[in-house]
Amino acid sequence: MRVILILVDGMRPDALAENPAAQKLAEKSTYTYAGQTVFPSVTLPCHMSLFHSVDPERHGTTTNTYMPQ
């Protein structure tokens, strides 16, 4: 099985309805428009939560300033 994860930063899901390439990809894949983010909804904390499966309170990244743990 191969997985390609596409993350689009700063775009509402309904914006994809007007994009033919996104619609074509959706027809051939599994997707959701019901995804929710964490707070704060900032790129680095959101990606850390996605990849570590915990909230920012747990992983400690709350801004876009990366500091190795």
Side-chain angles (χ1 to χ4, degrees):
M1 175 192 292
R2 294 178 187 198
V3 175
I4 297 174
L5 176 63
I6 300 172
L7 301 172
V8 180
D9 195 16
M11 180 171 50
R12 294 187 344 220
D14 61 325
L16 295 173
E18 302 294 322
N19 186 313
Q23 292 302 312
K24 191 172 183 178
L25 183 60
E27 290 171 7
K28 298 178 180 182
S29 62
T30 301
Y31 63 93
T32 182
Y33 292 124
Q36 296 181 7
T37 191
V38 296
F39 183 82
S41 59
V42 179
T43 301
L44 188 55
C46 292
H47 287 182
M48 291 290 284
S49 292
L50 176 68
F51 295 121
H52 292 284
S53 300
V54 296
D55 289 331
E57 299 86 37
R58 176 95 185 269
H59 59 66
T61 301
T62 58
T63 67
N64 274 337
T65 303
Y66 178 69
M67 292 201 248
Q69 297 179 351

